[in-house]
Amino acid sequence: MDGSLFGLIRSRIEDPAADFLVEPDGARLSYGGLLERSGRLANLFVRLGVRPGDRIAIQAEKSVDALLVYLATLRAGAVHLPLNPAYTLAEVRYFLADAEPALFIRRPGQEAEMRALAAELGVPRIETLGADGGSLAAAAHEQPAEFDDVPRGAGDLAAILYTSGTTGRSKGAMLTHGNLASNAETLREAWRFTAADRLLHALPIFHTHGLFVATNTILLAGGSMLFLPGLDLDAILRLLPRATAMMGVPTYYTRLLARPDFTRALAAHMRLFVSGSAPLSVETHREFEARTGHRILERYGMTETNMICSNPYDGPRVPGSVGPALPGVAVRIAEPATGATLPRGEVGIVEVKGPNVFKGYWRMPGKTAEEFRPDGYFITGDMGVMDEAGYVRIVGRAKDLIISGGLNVYPAEVEAAIEELPGVAECAVIGVPHPDFGEGVVAVVTPRPGEPAPDEASIRAALRDTLAAFKQPKRVFLADALPRNTMGKVQKKVLRDRYAGTFVR
């Protein structure tokens, strides 16, 4: 039996004329149109030489066509590899070299540089996709709409998403058709999505949240989306009366609360607000409820595991908690060194097991083995505590990962880039509370003796072409020395405490 995710999606289409998505300008794409346009793209991919199991990398702005590339990739039996449009040429080089895609779909711009890079790395084909279509859309238009979907098993790869850690090398999390299908089905049931739902979709689609949590869940419910190209508060407020549900990162909700025209009446008809990708503050949770009467449903997941926990649809939604494990998912709090399960109420490492957990890291068998216990539990790297009711509260990260605006930033990469700059002796990068982004990236730099000391402006300017904007420090501070323990390790907790008020308004 075909275990492909798209096969499951196809089985849920009851009315081909029903809306799949509606754009802010009123343009509509029906489920029949989804089948037609993704079929043309899938035929094009095959004509371009893409074979089952090949990777298709895409770095393009959010659009209907970019979303259809994902669905067409599934249909062609290939592996979807979405890249953040903010990544620089240097960052893209790593991903292309590591994943070796058969096709790279790229937004227009830097044409010569990107084609030279593709040629250097042996990427066979490169196409463009932008607001005006680009070469991919033009070529797809010439292809037939009918396409025989390539059969895939539940254990076959559907996507590779590169995830951050505290080491300088990104890891490609391999997600199977079974991983994605099982989690989307679980979320559809847990959050009560039906064909009557219309989801307000303002999230990026290079990330688990917008691509898998939002899109896959709506597809399996047969519902529709109000599909925004990005976070546009005016558009959200205008379209909210037509929606039944919204998913966002905490930044979305803090910015809505800052708008006086975001009122209880405007949200009165809504069924559900979901938050994830970064911790939702207790203050935001309570303020949102006071303003709208809605209690935001906070959930918890990772690129490697899809969604793990969720506050219940019916039942207490506890501020500061991510809720109990989702149905079919096993979660335990373990002693980090041994993996021994800890009693309720004790802080330990969050570990998870279930059909949602990824297959491993792309071409990193050693790293994969390190991250799993002998009994199959995946070590998330997050520290948490579970109460007697099974609700999990995330208390910190075992590794110094920064989550800013729902996007992962690993300090080692930023530190390495800063330490390459003239006049810098060493650097420590931390995340501190930020009212908009959850965490703001802060760099603490010590100058090199005997050389002209760099300043904040020069450091930030030097990073603009090296790091994606979300990784660049929002503030840079100079210090005579970094605090260290007796073993010589930089004490980042001391720095976080010292600079905790940096972004306080």
Side-chain angles (χ1 to χ4, degrees):
M1 179 179 178
D2 182 18
S4 74
L5 172 60
F6 195 85
L8 183 60
I9 291 168
R10 183 190 284 276
S11 74
R12 300 295 172 84
I13 299 175
E14 295 185 356
D15 179 8
D19 286 341
F20 165 53
L21 60 78
V22 182
E23 296 183 80
D25 64 1
R28 284 173 152 77
L29 178 68
S30 68
Y31 274 92
L34 178 158
L35 292 172
E36 175 186 338
R37 289 174 63 179
S38 65
R40 294 185 192 279
L41 281 166
N43 274 307
L44 176 62
F45 293 161
V46 172
R47 187 176 71 80
L48 292 177
V50 174
R51 297 168 299 180
D54 282 349
R55 279 72 60 205
I56 297 178
I58 175 170
Q59 187 190 29
E61 302 298 337
K62 182 181 178 182
S63 68
V64 175
D65 280 330
L67 187 62
L68 290 170
V69 164
Y70 161 58
L71 298 174
T73 299
L74 296 178
R75 296 185 69 178
V79 180
H80 188 61
L81 175 59
L83 299 175
N84 188 333
Y87 283 145
T88 66
L89 185 67
E91 291 166 319
V92 170
R93 171 186 293 275
Y94 170 77
F95 299 121
L96 296 185
D98 191 57
E100 296 184 303
L103 171 64
F104 178 33
I105 300 166
R106 163 75 184 172
R107 65 185 176 189
Q110 292 184 300
E111 297 283 338
E113 296 93 332
M114 282 295 176
R115 292 192 180 278
L117 180 62
E120 175 192 339
L121 299 177
V123 178
R125 295 295 300 242
I126 183 168
E127 301 288 344
T128 59
L129 180 62
D132 297 326
S135 65
L136 186 81
H141 185 71
E142 304 299 322
Q143 299 299 310
E146 294 297 322
F147 181 79
D148 292 329
D149 298 346
V150 175
R152 295 276 87 186
D156 287 325
L157 290 190
I160 296 175
L161 268 62
Y162 279 88
T163 183
S164 304
T166 53
T167 62
R169 187 181 177 194
S170 295
K171 306 180 295 293
M174 299 187 292
L175 296 157
T176 68
H177 286 261
N179 292 151
L180 301 182
S182 69
N183 209 235
E185 186 75 331
T186 295
L187 296 178
R188 181 192 66 79
E189 295 177 2
W191 295 343
R192 309 288 197 272
F193 275 93
T194 71
D197 273 300
R198 181 165 281 187
L199 176 71
L200 189 56
H201 192 306
L203 293 160
I205 56 172
F206 58 81
H207 190 271
T208 298
H209 196 167
L211 187 61
F212 300 147
V213 179
T215 305
N216 287 349
T217 301
I218 278 293
L219 284 165
L220 293 194
S224 61
M225 300 189 292
L226 297 167
F227 195 72
L228 277 67
L231 177 60
D232 180 335
L233 291 179
D234 290 335
I236 287 175
L237 292 170
R238 185 177 72 253
L239 295 173
L240 199 61
R242 297 166 54 190
T244 64
M246 175 178 167
M247 297 182 191
V249 300
T251 301
Y252 290 16
Y253 297 115
T254 59
R255 291 188 180 180
L256 281 173
L257 289 169
R259 293 282 296 254
D261 48 346
F262 178 58
T263 63
R264 180 178 288 257
L266 196 64
H269 71 288
M270 288 286 285
R271 183 179 70 79
L272 182 64
F273 290 94
V274 177
S275 181
S277 298
L280 181 73
S281 74
V282 172
E283 291 79 8
T284 299
H285 191 287
R286 290 174 177 164
E287 185 182 350
F288 196 90
E289 183 180 12
R291 173 84 67 91
T292 67
H294 287 278
R295 293 176 72 82
I296 296 173
L297 187 153
E298 187 173 11
R299 62 26 166 215
Y300 163 63
M302 299 178 68
T303 302
E304 293 96 332
T305 63
N306 298 281
M307 297 306 101
I308 300 170
C309 296
S310 172
N311 275 274
Y313 187 81
D314 296 313
R317 298 180 192 173
V318 179
S321 167
V322 295
L326 284 161
V329 180
V331 173
R332 68 187 181 194
I333 308 298
E335 201 284 319
T338 66
T341 302
L342 294 171
R344 300 285 175 97
E346 290 194 21
V347 174
I349 202 86
V350 180
E351 300 184 354
V352 58
K353 186 177 183 179
N356 54 309
V357 178
F358 76 138
K359 195 169 186 173
Y361 293 114
W362 174 255
R363 293 177 174 171
M364 289 186 175
K367 184 63 177 174
T368 299
E370 289 175 10
E371 302 297 333
F372 282 87
R373 300 291 187 189
D375 60 359
Y377 274 81
F378 174 68
I379 306 165
T380 66
D382 288 319
M383 302 298 289
V385 60
M386 185 183 294
D387 67 16
E388 292 300 326
Y391 280 60
V392 173
R393 181 167 57 91
I394 306 300
V395 300
R397 288 179 289 279
K399 299 174 182 178
D400 291 318
L401 181 67
I402 300 167
I403 301 179
S404 184
L407 300 175
N408 291 348
V409 181
Y410 46 89
E413 181 183 19
V414 184
E415 289 163 357
I418 293 174
E419 289 175 356
E420 289 286 327
L421 301 178
V424 174
E426 58 181 348
C427 171
V429 170
I430 56 172
V432 301
H434 191 289
D436 238 354
F437 297 99
E439 286 185 304
V441 181
V442 168
V444 185
V445 173
T446 63
R448 191 178 299 278
E451 295 184 16
D455 58 23
E456 179 175 21
S458 65
I459 290 173
R460 294 184 67 190
L463 296 175
R464 284 181 190 139
D465 294 329
T466 305
L467 296 172
F470 68 89
K471 299 178 185 178
Q472 295 169 21
K474 291 178 169 50
R475 287 300 311 274
V476 177
F477 296 96
L478 296 183
D480 292 333
L482 300 177
R484 299 179 184 274
N485 62 19
T486 56
M487 298 298 291
K489 183 177 180 180
V490 175
Q491 295 178 299
K492 289 195 171 181
K493 183 181 186 305
V494 173
L495 293 175
R496 283 192 287 266
D497 292 343
R498 183 180 301 170
Y499 296 100
T502 298
F503 303 110
V504 173
R505 289 174 175 168

